[in-house]
Amino acid sequence: MTKDKRLALVLLLNGGMVVALVVVGLGSHSLGVLAAGGDYLGDAAGVALSLAALRLSRRKHGHPNLTSHAALVNASFLLIVTIVVAVEGLRRLIEGTPHVRGLPVIIVSVIAALVMAICALIIGTVESEDLNMRSVLLDTLADAVSAGGVAGSGAIILATKGAYWLDPAVALGIALIIAYHALKLIRDVLVLLRKRPQPETRRS
């Protein structure tokens, strides 16, 4: 399967999960699920950008560094999502967490984790220098892990019929994981761009 087809399929699955996570997150009052939905939305935008950059880079006069720039934009977008989630998570921990419905959180999070695991298999092993595909794979694996964490918090909330503070706490944990990987990817992209020769600009 070509990179284009892999990215297109991952984009389709990501888009479906964004809708499901946002609907369930709002209905269950779960910041953890909404954080996952925001993360998946960022990933979907990143995949779409990566797909466009991959195709443009193949054109005769395409920019050879477009895929690296796409990875950079994707990581930057994830940092913005991280800040929004962190601020809301801290607000809920300080002011009080609303009632969270555990069962819908568990169901949608388990499904999300399985879908992201499938997406990781679709993307497969990629070359270490292909930061575009690497960024998509990294985001997908992080999504699967974060969804598992949200499912765990939902199970505890359901079992205890309380402990609602776990939901924003897990959301903060997800934000930290996303931020770490996003910053690492930004560093790798910037290092690679410094090493690569920039294309000469045409003179009019």
Side-chain angles (χ1 to χ4, degrees):
M1 187 183 295
T2 64
K3 290 181 181 179
D4 303 63
K5 290 182 178 179
R6 292 185 202 178
L7 288 174
L9 186 53
V10 169
L11 177 60
L12 181 63
L13 292 172
N14 246 311
M17 286 313 307
V18 167
V19 175
L21 289 167
V22 170
V23 170
V24 174
L26 291 174
S28 63
H29 309 127
S30 172
L31 180 61
V33 173
L34 287 174
D39 185 19
Y40 284 30
L41 178 61
D43 291 349
V47 172
L49 186 61
S50 298
L51 184 58
L54 188 62
R55 291 178 175 175
L56 287 173
S57 66
R58 290 172 180 161
R59 293 185 177 179
K60 185 176 180 180
H61 300 297
H63 197 298
N65 290 328
L66 267 178
T67 54
S68 294
H69 290 308
L72 187 61
V73 173
N74 185 19
S76 300
F77 187 87
L78 286 175
L79 280 181
I80 295 173
V81 172
T82 297
I83 294 171
V84 173
V85 171
V87 170
E88 178 61 17
L90 289 172
R91 186 190 71 78
R92 289 194 178 196
L93 286 174
I94 294 171
E95 299 179 2
T97 305
H99 176 83
V100 177
R101 299 186 179 94
L103 186 58
V105 171
I106 297 172
I107 294 172
V108 77
S109 298
V110 169
I111 293 173
L114 291 174
V115 170
M116 288 304 103
I118 292 171
C119 287
L121 290 175
I122 292 171
I123 296 169
T125 305
V126 297
E127 303 89 346
S128 60
E129 287 297 312
D130 190 344
L131 292 178
N132 179 39
M133 293 295 286
R134 178 182 160 193
S135 70
V136 176
L137 178 60
L138 187 63
D139 292 342
T140 302
L141 291 173
D143 289 346
V145 173
S146 64
V150 175
S153 69
I156 294 174
I157 290 172
L158 182 64
T160 61
K161 297 181 180 179
Y164 301 132
W165 60 270
L166 271 176
D167 185 68
V170 169
L172 283 172
I174 293 172
L176 288 175
I177 293 173
I178 297 170
Y180 170 78
H181 289 297
L183 288 171
K184 185 176 184 299
L185 180 60
I186 289 174
R187 184 198 66 185
D188 292 345
V189 172
L190 292 177
V191 169
L192 183 63
L193 288 175
R194 288 195 191 104
K195 292 180 179 179
R196 287 181 179 173
Q198 298 297 319
E200 296 181 2
T201 56
R202 294 184 177 180
R203 296 180 181 179
S204 54

